[in-house]
Amino acid sequence: MKKRKSKVVLVSVLLSLSLVITGCINSKSNDTSGKVNDGGGTSVENPNDPYLGKYLETIEVSTVRIIGDNVKFADGEDMDNNQWTRTLMERLGIKVKNDWIVKGEQPGGPGEQKMNVSIASGDLPDIFPVNATQLKQLSDADQLMDLTKLYEKYASPLVKDMMEKATNGLASATFDGKMLGIPRPSSTIDGASMLWIRKDWLTKLGLPEPKTMEDVLKISDAFTNDDPDGNGQKDTYGLALTKNLYGSTFKNGDFGTLEGFFNGYHAFPQQWIKDDKGDLVFGSIQPEMKDALIELQKMYKDGQIDREFGVKDEAKEGELSAAGKIGMTYGQMWITLSDWLKNTKNNDPNAEWQAYPIVSNDNQPATTQISGIGVDRFYYVVNKDAKNPEALFKMMNLFAELQFGPDTSAEDWQKHSKVDGFEIWTYFPFPVGQPDKNLNIHQNVVAALDSKDASKLNPEETDAYKKSAAMESGNFTVDDWSYDKVFGRTGSQAVIKTYVDGNLLKPANSMGYLHQQCQKNSKHFVRWN
């Protein structure tokens, strides 16, 4: 599974998107002409293919690049000369000209600073990436092209499907009915919290799998007081917790967080929701929080929670997990790929982490909070003076086809994705993501395991399939184990499927991001003693 996003960078997006949402309602474009550039590049070899038709004469598209610090190239290649630049020329007749390239995607980092300078000077390329705040600035300055008709005409069905599955992504880039940016989609469903449990400890102590919050509390007590590691000492903790408290909402971390615990009491911390009257309220101060806080206080006093959690980040608390001292943690779907849980298995081959859906404290099903907007750092925008605005969609279509298209060969996918350890996909100027990609991988892997036929899987699915097949054969590595715990039959994506099928996901109210921005420096503290 490719990790194409920086958790740190996503903080900026989630906090600043409120500006965009506000702009959707209040921004007034200065453009009164009503004119829309419907694309100047209609001279293509196959005019009947608006999605991937090649230009008869090569066109040049200028852009700028803000790239990750870890982007590397093979000898003789760089951002101006690589597999993707060649493919864009060969298949679309597009030459991409990089006006500047800066490493540093983090909020307030070199990339954002350089983009701010370009915006201030008015020195803008044809197509370029911006964050939410910059999108709002450019909208107010009437410097962006309305992409509404271009999107309808030139975005391929695959790209449109990605955009529609990116929760509120297009809506967050729409001002007064004009689509002024195209979001880089990210998954919101993968941010759902779930309960990870040492299943081998459950078995050893004869405990049932959790069906209610009462079960969770009993398991935590037993994991703390009934010596699950068998060393004769009271040195284990029922529940992991870190100083961040919350993870999936603000991306502080994804191990030892509390959203899932609170969601079990129908409480939604750090998230704006609508109450029974339809009013927008802040979840952290709603009455449902009280019962959850009372139980956490009891657990803390009983030693079920590490007393030093308040000074530990996920890495330090993860050391306890690796040492076999943690029995449960709420977290996201991917944490068996991290050292926190993987090293538990490395240090104890009998250790067995298993993901479970969150459970409720009453007879109503628990719903799991997720982000309200599925955007991965950037929006792609087009200078209103660009000659070939449709080129953005043609390039995105090509990337989507070669990365996710069902008819793309394994060889073609591989050379545009990862070669000899180099992440080739990072060279593409305008990548798009498939928000439900990981869920699709899980479902396709399970189908292949059942049929014992992996011939229809793409290379990424094939890799996950081989790891799960190794697990089922009994001849596996810890790496195989960690991936199977995500994509295998009973992996964390099976929990995601349960959430999706049962309509058990609760996105943040998008309009609440404005209030979230105002509240970000006003934290709600919990008294633990």
Side-chain angles (χ1 to χ4, degrees):
M1 181 184 66
K2 299 184 183 73
K3 290 186 65 59
R4 299 189 178 183
K5 63 184 179 182
S6 163
K7 295 186 289 179
V8 175
V9 173
L10 280 171
V11 177
S12 174
V13 174
L14 291 176
L15 293 178
S16 62
L17 276 172
S18 60
L19 300 174
V20 179
I21 295 296
T22 308
C24 296
I25 298 177
N26 298 324
S27 175
K28 297 297 182 182
S29 172
N30 296 322
D31 180 10
T32 58
S33 67
K35 295 180 180 179
V36 176
N37 186 338
D38 195 28
T42 55
S43 298
V44 294
E45 289 183 4
N46 184 359
N48 295 321
D49 183 4
Y51 308 134
L52 295 172
K54 183 178 180 180
Y55 292 99
L56 286 175
E57 297 182 2
T58 298
I59 67 166
E60 182 176 273
V61 174
S62 62
T63 189
V64 297
R65 303 297 303 274
I66 302 172
I67 62 177
D69 294 330
N70 297 323
V71 173
K72 298 179 180 179
F73 298 91
D75 290 344
E77 297 205 339
D78 56 27
M79 198 59 76
D80 296 311
N81 176 34
N82 57 69
Q83 180 61 61
W84 275 110
T85 61
R86 293 187 289 272
T87 297
L88 286 170
M89 278 290 291
E90 292 167 1
R91 303 197 187 187
L92 295 179
I94 297 176
K95 178 181 179 181
V96 175
K97 176 180 175 291
N98 295 302
D99 289 350
W100 52 259
I101 302 170
V102 172
K103 283 191 174 184
E105 297 176 308
Q106 67 273 20
E112 181 179 325
Q113 294 173 21
K114 182 70 172 177
M115 193 70 249
N116 285 336
V117 171
S118 293
I119 292 173
S121 67
D123 184 17
L124 299 173
D126 297 321
I127 305 171
F128 53 103
V130 296
N131 63 26
T133 302
Q134 293 161 344
L135 174 62
K136 178 66 165 57
Q137 290 175 324
L138 290 165
S139 169
D140 289 344
D142 187 28
Q143 292 182 287
L144 301 179
M145 184 172 294
D146 180 359
L147 303 176
T148 308
K149 292 184 178 180
L150 290 166
Y151 174 79
E152 289 302 321
K153 181 176 181 178
Y154 291 105
S156 69
L158 180 56
V159 166
K160 287 179 179 176
D161 180 68
M162 293 174 176
M163 297 300 165
E164 290 167 4
K165 290 178 178 176
T167 309
N168 292 317
L170 287 174
S172 69
T174 301
F175 297 74
D176 290 335
K178 297 178 181 180
M179 188 186 299
L180 299 184
I182 303 298
R184 184 160 127 176
S186 70
S187 173
T188 53
I189 63 176
D190 283 346
S193 183
M194 56 191 68
L195 180 59
W196 290 88
I197 303 181
R198 281 287 300 268
K199 188 175 182 180
D200 55 311
W201 285 8
L202 283 180
T203 301
K204 182 176 182 179
L205 299 180
L207 297 169
E209 297 180 346
K211 301 297 182 184
T212 65
M213 281 303 299
E214 184 179 2
D215 293 337
V216 172
L217 299 178
K218 287 180 179 179
I219 291 170
S220 178
D221 179 79
F223 282 180
T224 304
N225 297 304
D226 294 350
D227 192 25
D229 61 353
N231 68 354
Q233 301 178 41
K234 186 179 177 180
D235 59 355
T236 53
Y237 300 98
L239 183 67
L241 188 58
T242 74
K243 66 179 183 180
N244 293 322
L245 298 184
Y246 306 117
S248 61
T249 301
F250 288 121
K251 304 297 177 187
N252 289 323
D254 309 296
F255 165 82
T257 53
L258 283 176
E259 286 94 341
F261 187 91
F262 284 113
N263 295 166
Y265 291 86
H266 311 296
F268 303 95
Q270 304 295 303
Q271 181 165 300
W272 288 87
I273 58 175
K274 287 187 176 181
D275 63 13
D276 293 338
K277 298 179 181 179
D279 296 327
L280 193 65
V281 296
F282 192 52
S284 291
I285 55 174
Q286 299 312 299
E288 291 81 6
M289 291 285 290
K290 185 175 180 180
D291 289 341
L293 290 171
I294 289 172
E295 292 299 338
L296 284 171
Q297 186 181 65
K298 291 177 182 177
M299 294 168 69
Y300 180 79
K301 287 182 175 179
D302 188 45
Q304 297 177 34
I305 294 172
D306 176 18
R307 290 189 176 275
E308 297 181 351
F309 83 89
V311 295
K312 291 183 177 180
D313 60 13
E314 57 189 2
K316 290 299 292 183
E317 186 74 4
E319 292 175 2
L320 285 175
S321 172
K325 302 302 179 184
I326 297 290
M328 291 191 295
T329 180
Y330 286 91
Q332 293 183 333
M333 61 92 189
W334 60 270
I335 60 175
T336 51
L337 303 177
S338 71
D339 289 344
W340 317 314
L341 270 59
K342 186 186 291 188
N343 282 343
T344 314
K345 190 74 171 177
N346 277 321
N347 296 332
D348 179 4
N350 295 318
E352 196 62 40
W353 284 102
Q354 179 62 48
Y356 296 92
I358 64 169
V359 291
S360 169
N361 69 327
D362 56 27
N363 60 2
Q364 297 299 313
T367 54
T368 312
Q369 69 185 81
I370 57 174
S371 297
I373 300 180
V375 179
D376 184 6
R377 299 193 294 278
F378 296 120
Y379 295 84
Y380 304 130
V381 297
V382 179
N383 189 322
K384 69 176 184 179
D385 296 324
K387 293 181 179 180
N388 296 103
E390 76 289 339
L392 168 62
F393 297 101
K394 288 178 175 290
M395 288 187 281
M396 288 195 302
N397 295 342
L398 182 61
F399 182 87
E401 183 63 30
L402 293 180
Q403 293 291 288
F404 307 107
D407 298 326
T408 296
S409 68
E411 180 182 3
D412 220 8
W413 180 90
Q414 193 73 56
K415 73 179 184 179
H416 290 94
S417 180
K418 187 174 183 178
V419 178
D420 297 331
F422 294 99
E423 299 284 350
I424 307 300
W425 69 269
T426 63
Y427 307 162
F428 193 78
F430 312 108
V432 289
Q434 194 173 46
D436 58 353
K437 177 184 70 126
N438 291 325
L439 180 56
N440 290 338
I441 292 175
H442 159 71
Q443 294 179 119
N444 292 338
V445 164
V446 172
L449 290 170
D450 288 341
S451 67
K452 301 187 185 305
D453 179 10
S455 62
K456 296 182 180 179
L457 302 181
N458 68 32
E460 190 170 8
E461 293 167 344
T462 298
D463 183 59
Y465 167 81
K466 289 179 179 178
K467 289 175 167 57
S468 287
M471 282 294 298
E472 296 195 356
S473 74
N475 183 21
F476 61 89
T477 66
V478 171
D479 187 58
D480 294 332
W481 172 86
S482 68
Y483 271 79
D484 181 67
K485 287 299 176 182
V486 177
F487 297 114
R489 295 182 191 276
T490 61
S492 58
Q493 283 296 322
V495 176
I496 298 292
K497 187 175 188 302
T498 297
Y499 291 158
V500 172
D501 292 347
N503 194 27
L504 298 175
L505 296 168
K506 188 179 182 69
N509 188 285
S510 300
M511 297 309 299
Y513 277 110
L514 174 61
H515 303 275
Q516 212 168 54
Q517 175 75 9
C518 297
Q519 291 283 343
K520 70 176 182 177
N521 292 317
S522 176
K523 298 179 182 295
H524 297 271
F525 293 97
V526 179
R527 187 174 180 85
W528 295 96
N529 51 30

